[in-house]
Amino acid sequence: MRLRQIALVAHDLAKNADDLTAVLGLSVGYRDPEVGKYGLHNIVAPIGSDFLEIVSPTVDGTSAGRYLARRGGDGGYMVILQGPDAAADRRRLEAMGVRVVEKIDRPVYVASHFHPADTGGILLSVDSVPGGD
């Protein structure tokens, strides 16, 4: 298993994206429209074969918005790990009592998001790409 992505959460996506890319010399590689279903918008910046993401709420009542309020401002939000079999990892973690808050089971992508209260305060995702690297 390896670290694939770190996601930050911020009130002001544009300002934080500008600061991040300027300070670290990165470019925005992608804006994922799929995060809209969670009431968010984002930027994803590649760093070698890994990614740094910033998400920001677009509507009230999102988990990201509640997290921003609890922590009192911008900061770390999610860690995404990639391994060979995310479905097996999901079963193993569920057996340990770690709650799954999101399951993605597609032929070419499997992922599980685990509840922050069960993972040390951070939203954890364990992903795999069956048949891929």
Side-chain angles (χ1 to χ4, degrees):
M1 193 171 299
R2 70 177 188 90
L3 176 65
R4 190 187 81 216
Q5 186 168 326
I6 293 174
L8 308 173
V9 62
H11 288 286
D12 185 338
L13 179 64
K15 179 190 178 314
N16 282 279
D18 288 346
D19 290 348
L20 178 80
T21 56
V23 170
L24 297 178
L26 303 174
S27 297
V28 173
Y30 187 62
R31 295 175 188 271
D32 186 355
E34 292 290 318
V35 300
K37 72 181 178 183
Y38 303 109
L40 305 171
H41 59 157
N42 76 336
I43 63 97
V44 179
I47 304 174
S49 62
D50 301 317
F51 303 94
L52 188 55
E53 178 180 21
I54 303 173
V55 300
S56 183
T58 58
V59 297
D60 291 336
T62 65
S63 63
R66 291 188 303 272
Y67 184 75
L68 279 167
R70 274 194 312 274
R71 75 174 315 277
D74 303 345
Y77 181 61
M78 184 175 191
V79 171
I80 302 171
L81 304 176
Q82 184 172 332
D85 189 347
D89 292 323
R90 177 191 302 155
R91 290 188 299 273
R92 181 175 54 83
L93 289 166
E94 283 182 306
M96 295 169 55
V98 180
R99 291 171 286 172
V100 177
V101 296
E102 177 79 15
K103 293 179 184 179
I104 302 167
D105 290 305
R106 299 180 187 145
V108 296
Y109 181 68
V110 177
S112 304
H113 297 180
F114 297 97
H115 198 289
D118 300 339
T119 60
I122 194 83
L123 183 60
L124 172 67
S125 185
V126 178
D127 305 7
S128 63
V129 181
D133 292 334

